[in-house]
Amino acid sequence: MSNTPMLRTLLLGATIIAGTAGAGALAQVPPADQPPGSGNATVAPGTPTPPTDAFSAPSPNSPQAPGVNAANIPDGPPAEPSEATPMVEQVTASPAHDDWPGYGRDDRATRFSPLDQITPSNVSHLKRAFIYHTGSKPGPGQVNKWAAETTPIKVGDGLYMCSALNDMMRIDPATGKEVWHFHANEKYESIPYTAACKAVVYYTSSTVPEGEHCHHRILEATLDERLIEVDSEDGKVCEGFGWHGMVNLMKGMGESVPGFVAETAPPPIVNGAIITNQEILDGQRRWAPSGVIRGYDAETGRFLWAWDVNRPHEHGEPKEGEHYSRGTPNSWAAMIGDNALGLVYVPTGNSAADYYSAMRSPEENKVSSAVVAIDVKTGEPRWVFQTVHKDVWDYDIGSQPTLMDFTKPDGSTVPALIMPTKRGQTFVLDRRTGEPVLPVEERPAPSPGMVPGDTRAPTQPWSVGMPRLGFAPLKEADMWGMSPIDQLYCRLKYRRAHYVGEFTPPSIDKPWLEYPGYNGGSDWGSVAYDEKTGILIANWNNTPMYDQLVSRKKADKLGLMPVDDPNYKPGGGGAEGAGAMAETPYGIVVSPFWDEYTGMMCNRPPYGMITAIDMHTQKVLWQHPLGSARANGPFGLPTHLPLTIGTPNNGGPVITAGGLIFVAATTDNMIHAFDIHTGREVWNDVLPGGGQATPMTYEYKGKQYVAIMAGGHHFMMTPVTDDLVVYALDNVN
């Protein structure tokens, strides 16, 4: 996985030429060796109207995880699937009208809300209702690796979320007052590339009676590889789940170090099975920890099955002294399941050592950078659809799939899956079989390659039935800069690089241009879809990369070493895609395609876009740049110009029945509202930090709210805060 090193400084001299750890002190995360608290949550007394900057200090008696991490959670007795709680088919029901109960809101991850109180005609009255502080920010002396990426969920009278370091909280949806705060006691050393927690999961037990503790539960997967379940009412751990409410996800993973393996996405629960995936740090070594996908009983935490690519038919846990197969494709994106079909859809990445494929097994090559449908009862794959063959461009799938019912020309419907990709290719598949619903062509690709013994695939898949979220191949005439000298410099860089269009093979003797870059097209923000109108909304990036393989000798000279090397010195916030690729002949050097002196991209803007597509006709309704120049500029200096030039963005959109799109994501540190029918921006607000997260909306006591985590992003160089900012109309009581 990766997040492109697109700094605020990459932008926007063209706008000139063309005339164009405050609140965190209240809620510091306790150290991991702190003795556990009493486990009794103190429910904060109700207050009629708290201040806008709502309180967030945890009670001294708030619940905490025991002072442990995954490494010392007892494994418990061996798990036999036959002994687990019988899996039952979950009934897929529409969420309550006023709720946002999951990361993608519903069981289809549409990011669509039926709320319509806020409309294009009154959105100008949207004002801040409250700010809640999670308490998770870099501490004194800590390198900034924060990018919370959190989307809260709302069920009933509770707004639930996690902090960047996996604390879980329940807050009052109207006031932002904290009800309980669970301390996960996550260590700084466990942060991988980014301290992030995209969402928690709400689960209702089928075995614990209503009214008893842990009938309704909040679940998360943590950076240090734990599953944790707590009661939704008081935040105390569910003792019947795993060991004191926790399951050790490092079991069977073999040798590792903190931060090498982590969970940042909410694990889906499909027919009673929690499905886990994990990110593995890119660029480290060929035999990195496994990309295994596993299932656990949502009631008890008991292990159910594993899908291990190089042990395809061995679905049990490894025997003592063994481990899951190493270096296999990992999945770090949010997954989605279909209860009726009994499937979970897993977006995969490529194998370890992302930019060199000669050492991969045939099994790995079949399932990398693909969507894999896995039977949630057995762990057996049902089908695979590959979006890139023999990926050496870090085109892993970062987006969560979205489910829909696709209407064919003859009026029949197909249960379908929409899969956005970093390439800007959007594939629409029959989710029962994996067959394309809209045409896909295998087109010739540059081959055999330029690295000895590492041949490239002769063809690559193109979704010709959907509009591409991207532009034409780069040309020298597209090179751009603040001045003629800057443009000349970028022209020289272009000429110096190897580039023959998309899928330009990696090279050793000189750099190669990777376009699209590995941050999109679409990345982890995913897309939003309105089933009634058939409108799909996607925000995406247009940011090339400049890559080069280097010899092992040169990699050593550059100081590239894997995170588990005894001599490794954490730098934090660096380009995850650049690394040692130990146990292969090469290292990899990755950078944006930019002018290093001004910090400006070498390709002309826009660098970020937003697009509306009619899924009935597969035609673009409207499309325009996303993000302004106000906080961006050459040499890292903001221009303060309100010109919409299109900035790099991370975080997704949401759609409401009121005819609005809400999206933040951009490096201008703003949240935007657009009229879905015209694409016209009808409202915006400057956030206290970067809005690199997906917003959500909910209704409580007759009032609609819009929430965005303004946590910022260390690598996009937007301001990092611990602020959840919540808006409502100022003329609705």
Side-chain angles (χ1 to χ4, degrees):
M1 66 154 292
S2 51
N3 283 306
T4 310
M6 293 301 136
L7 316 180
R8 292 185 302 165
T9 60
L10 300 188
L11 307 172
L12 301 171
T15 61
I16 300 172
I17 299 168
T20 52
L26 296 175
Q28 291 294 322
V29 179
D33 57 358
Q34 176 176 316
S38 68
N40 297 319
T42 298
V43 179
T47 56
T49 308
T52 299
D53 199 2
F55 33 125
S56 61
S59 160
N61 295 320
S62 59
Q64 302 181 50
V68 298
N69 55 31
N72 54 28
I73 297 175
D75 293 327
E80 297 294 336
S82 59
E83 297 176 5
T85 304
M87 293 176 62
V88 295
E89 181 178 317
Q90 292 173 222
V91 177
T92 300
S94 297
H97 180 84
D98 54 354
D99 282 350
W100 189 284
Y103 177 57
R105 185 178 182 270
D106 49 36
D107 286 344
R108 295 186 167 206
T110 64
R111 294 172 180 79
F112 171 82
S113 169
L115 298 178
D116 59 5
Q117 185 179 93
I118 304 171
T119 68
S121 63
N122 66 14
V123 69
S124 61
H125 292 278
L126 210 57
K127 306 297 180 185
R128 293 185 186 181
F130 63 85
I131 294 177
Y132 171 78
H133 299 287
T134 68
S136 182
K137 294 191 297 186
Q142 292 179 337
V143 174
N144 176 19
K145 299 175 71 175
W146 264 250
E149 302 177 358
T150 311
T151 300
I153 67 172
K154 187 266 185 184
V155 181
D157 60 358
L159 191 62
Y160 303 93
M161 65 181 299
C162 48
S163 74
L165 285 182
N166 296 127
D167 282 10
M168 291 186 279
M169 312 85 168
R170 174 178 175 172
I171 62 179
D172 185 287
T175 67
K177 180 172 181 175
E178 187 171 279
V179 179
W180 55 255
H181 188 128
F182 174 86
H183 292 277
N185 290 333
E186 192 73 75
K187 292 184 178 180
Y188 175 80
E189 291 75 21
S190 296
I191 299 174
Y193 171 65
T194 291
C197 180
K198 290 186 174 67
V200 295
V201 180
Y202 189 90
Y203 177 67
T204 298
S205 172
S206 61
T207 61
V208 176
E210 187 168 359
E212 293 191 12
H213 195 254
C214 287
H215 175 65
H216 298 296
R217 310 178 185 190
I218 302 297
L219 162 72
E220 72 169 347
T222 68
L223 298 176
D224 67 355
E225 287 294 290
R226 289 175 287 165
L227 283 178
I228 305 176
E229 280 192 2
V230 302
D231 181 80
S232 68
E233 292 298 313
D234 62 16
K236 296 179 184 178
V237 294
C238 297
E239 293 289 343
F241 181 81
W243 181 79
H244 295 295
M246 292 180 286
V247 170
N248 175 13
L249 296 178
M250 284 303 296
K251 184 180 181 184
M253 293 296 286
E255 293 183 5
S256 187
V257 295
F260 205 160
V261 186
E263 312 259 344
T264 61
I269 300 176
V270 189
N271 289 344
I274 302 169
I275 316 299
T276 67
N277 60 359
Q278 58 278 333
E279 68 171 74
I280 310 296
L281 280 182
D282 281 357
Q284 305 303 310
R285 59 174 64 253
R286 172 63 187 105
W287 306 117
S290 180
V292 62
I293 306 297
R294 289 168 288 182
Y296 295 87
D297 189 303
E299 300 286 342
T300 65
R302 185 177 291 272
F303 172 85
L304 297 175
W305 51 260
W307 175 57
D308 186 3
V309 171
N310 284 330
R311 305 186 316 147
H313 303 298
E314 298 179 35
H315 296 298
E317 293 180 299
K319 297 176 183 177
E320 186 174 351
E322 298 180 355
H323 50 72
Y324 295 113
S325 53
R326 295 178 73 85
T328 51
N330 73 94
S331 169
W332 58 271
M335 301 175 284
I336 191 71
D338 186 317
N339 291 311
L341 294 176
L343 297 176
V344 63
Y345 302 102
V346 181
T348 68
N350 48 14
S351 299
D354 299 73
Y355 298 88
Y356 182 72
S357 65
M359 300 170 69
R360 299 174 189 170
S361 70
E363 290 78 15
E364 292 171 61
N365 284 331
K366 290 176 183 176
V367 301
S368 65
S369 299
V371 187
V372 182
I374 297 177
D375 188 311
V376 299
K377 288 185 178 180
T378 65
E380 193 73 23
R382 292 257 198 98
W383 57 258
V384 177
F385 180 87
Q386 196 162 49
T387 65
V388 180
H389 307 316
K390 290 192 74 176
D391 182 5
V392 287
W393 301 273
D394 198 14
Y395 283 154
D396 48 358
I397 302 178
S399 295
Q400 182 180 34
T402 292
L403 308 185
M404 66 173 296
D405 293 324
F406 184 87
T407 303
K408 299 173 70 174
D410 62 6
S412 61
T413 59
V414 176
L417 174 151
I418 303 169
M419 190 69 261
T421 69
K422 292 181 177 182
R423 294 176 53 210
Q425 300 288 325
T426 304
F427 297 93
V428 182
L429 311 173
D430 186 325
R431 66 178 184 266
R432 299 167 299 185
T433 65
E435 293 295 318
V437 172
L438 293 173
V440 174
E441 289 181 2
E442 287 286 336
R443 293 182 175 177
S447 63
M450 304 180 69
V451 177
D454 194 11
T455 57
R456 303 275 45 84
T459 65
Q460 294 288 354
W462 291 73
S463 180
V464 297
M466 281 287 288
R468 180 168 189 183
L469 304 177
F471 297 117
L474 292 174
K475 304 186 301 295
E476 185 178 335
D478 296 328
M479 299 305 101
W480 179 88
M482 287 181 59
S483 69
I485 293 175
D486 297 314
Q487 186 184 66
L488 176 62
Y489 176 76
C490 286
R491 282 178 177 260
L492 291 173
K493 284 193 72 169
Y494 178 90
R495 289 186 180 186
R496 181 170 169 260
H498 179 55
Y499 180 63
V500 291
E502 188 165 348
F503 299 112
T504 295
S507 51
I508 308 165
D509 60 326
K510 60 181 178 179
W512 86 92
L513 272 170
E514 179 187 340
Y515 184 65
Y518 62 59
N519 199 32
S522 298
D523 203 357
W524 54 265
S526 311
V527 298
Y529 178 62
D530 181 347
E531 294 178 320
K532 290 185 178 180
T533 64
I535 297 177
L536 180 141
I537 301 296
N539 53 289
W540 49 279
N541 287 302
N542 178 42
T543 49
M545 302 300 295
Y546 205 69
D547 309 336
Q548 185 172 3
L549 290 171
V550 295
S551 68
R552 177 58 48 210
K553 182 178 180 180
K554 185 169 183 179
D556 292 342
K557 187 176 180 180
L558 291 171
L560 301 178
M561 59 184 66
V563 67
D564 57 355
D565 188 292
N567 297 313
Y568 177 79
K569 295 180 180 179
E576 186 192 5
M581 297 207 306
E583 300 159 336
T584 77
Y586 308 104
I588 182 67
V589 175
V590 178
S591 71
F593 181 39
W594 64 352
D595 180 338
E596 297 91 337
Y597 303 102
T598 63
M600 310 289 289
M601 292 297 290
C602 277
N603 62 308
R604 67 178 60 167
Y607 307 119
M609 298 285 290
I610 185 167
T611 301
I613 298 172
D614 185 337
M615 290 301 294
H616 298 310
T617 63
Q618 296 86 56
K619 302 295 184 184
V620 172
L621 297 173
W622 52 262
Q623 175 174 283
H624 58 68
L626 175 66
S628 75
R630 62 167 298 277
N632 304 278
F635 308 109
L637 302 174
T639 66
H640 303 292
L641 296 174
L643 299 176
T644 300
I645 192 166
T647 74
N649 57 91
N650 268 320
V654 302
I655 301 172
T656 74
L660 289 170
I661 302 158
F662 289 99
V663 62
T666 51
T667 56
D668 59 8
N669 308 326
M670 300 181 76
I671 181 171
H672 311 262
F674 298 96
D675 185 316
I676 192 169
H677 300 293
T678 66
R680 182 174 65 93
E681 184 169 7
V682 291
W683 174 84
N684 62 55
D685 188 41
V686 177
L687 297 167
Q692 282 69 56
T694 301
M696 53 85 75
T697 185
Y698 61 91
E699 186 177 279
Y700 188 62
K701 295 184 177 179
K703 179 180 284 192
Q704 183 180 353
Y705 297 83
V706 176
I708 178 68
M709 182 66 203
H713 199 294
H714 63 102
F715 210 70
M716 298 183 79
M717 293 189 71
T718 55
V720 168
T721 77
D722 65 346
D723 297 1
L724 174 72
V725 185
V726 181
Y727 298 88
L729 295 174
D730 63 1
N731 55 358
V732 176
N733 294 322

